[in-house]
Amino acid sequence: MKLIHSSCRVLHFVTRSKRFLAASLFTFTTQHVSLRLAWILQNLTEVQKAIEEENCCFGTIDTWLLHKLTKGSEFATDFSNASTTGLFDPYEMCWSKLITSLLSIPLSLLPPVKDTSHNFGSVDEEIFGVPIPVVALVADQQSAMFGECCFQTGDVKLTMGTGTFLDINTGNNPQQSVGGFYPLIGWKIGQEVVCLAEGNAGDTGTAIQWAQQ
């Protein structure tokens, strides 16, 4: 990672591209599913065998729910969920070939990325008695941002629960911060792309419980 950070700092100095600035600051965290997926691929022989047999797919909870609710007919995610994995390039709006190569994660495992508002098929009729259309997928903090009507550039929301999440609407430009904020896709609806900068502390709930004791 040090070599990548150094190379990207040089490229950012030469090109002034924010994409290289983001890459120079990028670090893997335990919150990213990317590291857990890499561990699974390296250590579970049954998963390795499934990949060889082309019978293995990966997705976040939205992808799993969609796949289950449609009885396996749909396999997809949206831009907001994809951007939280640590495997997605918010500047190119696609899965990162660099990061997946570093972690030896085959791109074939990853779901197609669709708009947040999209026709994702219908819930199988056997589940609820009627086929219910699935017309949106959206990630956790992004859905809170949308629900609290933070639609304008500069709007901020703070969620405090098990963790603390501070999100800033950065308009249609991903923003990386030396202070630890990382770029996410808030949502994509048609031609509109809304980006967020997020900072978080994952142990807020634990810290409060400790302070109460």
Side-chain angles (χ1 to χ4, degrees):
M1 287 301 294
K2 288 183 179 179
L3 177 60
I4 293 174
H5 286 168
S6 299
S7 300
C8 288
R9 278 195 291 269
V10 172
L11 289 170
H12 173 252
F13 178 79
V14 173
T15 66
R16 310 312 296 176
S17 168
K18 292 181 179 179
R19 184 186 180 201
F20 291 122
L21 173 62
S24 71
L25 298 170
F26 178 81
T27 57
F28 292 109
T29 73
T30 54
Q31 293 179 337
H32 287 147
V33 296
S34 51
L35 293 181
R36 296 193 288 275
L37 175 59
W39 186 92
I40 288 172
L41 296 180
Q42 293 171 9
N43 292 277
L44 298 186
T45 55
E46 58 266 41
V47 174
Q48 296 168 0
K49 182 179 179 181
I51 293 174
E52 292 175 0
E53 297 173 350
E54 298 183 352
N55 189 33
C56 183
C57 297
F58 167 80
T60 49
I61 187 66
D62 65 301
T63 304
W64 184 83
L65 285 171
L66 178 67
H67 192 68
K68 289 293 185 180
L69 289 172
T70 60
K71 293 290 185 74
S73 66
E74 298 293 335
F75 175 59
T77 189
D78 90 300
F79 286 95
S80 69
N81 281 286
S83 70
T84 65
T85 61
L87 299 172
F88 190 80
D89 185 340
Y91 294 88
E92 295 294 319
M93 295 291 284
C94 63
W95 297 113
S96 171
K97 293 181 180 179
L98 173 62
I99 296 175
T100 52
S101 296
L102 284 174
L103 296 177
S104 300
I105 297 174
L107 283 171
S108 60
L109 297 185
L110 305 178
V113 184
K114 307 293 185 181
D115 283 10
T116 303
S117 178
H118 177 77
N119 181 4
F120 289 96
S122 296
V123 176
D124 190 274
E125 188 173 354
E126 293 182 0
I127 297 177
F128 296 115
V130 292
I132 302 173
V134 180
V135 295
L137 296 177
V138 63
D140 183 19
Q141 297 306 315
Q142 290 93 321
S143 63
M145 195 81 171
F146 193 95
E148 293 172 16
C149 300
C150 297
F151 301 139
Q152 304 301 317
T153 301
D155 283 353
V156 178
K157 73 97 184 146
L158 176 65
T159 300
M160 299 186 69
T162 305
T164 295
F165 295 86
L166 179 66
D167 292 270
I168 305 170
N169 184 325
T170 62
N172 58 8
N173 296 309
Q175 299 288 336
Q176 181 80 32
S177 164
V178 294
F181 281 78
Y182 46 87
L184 295 175
I185 304 301
W187 52 85
K188 182 177 184 297
I189 302 175
Q191 297 301 311
E192 179 193 30
V193 178
V194 173
C195 300
L196 309 179
E198 182 175 273
N200 78 83
D203 299 322
T204 304
T206 303
I208 292 174
Q209 288 180 341
W210 173 81
Q212 290 174 334
Q213 294 177 356

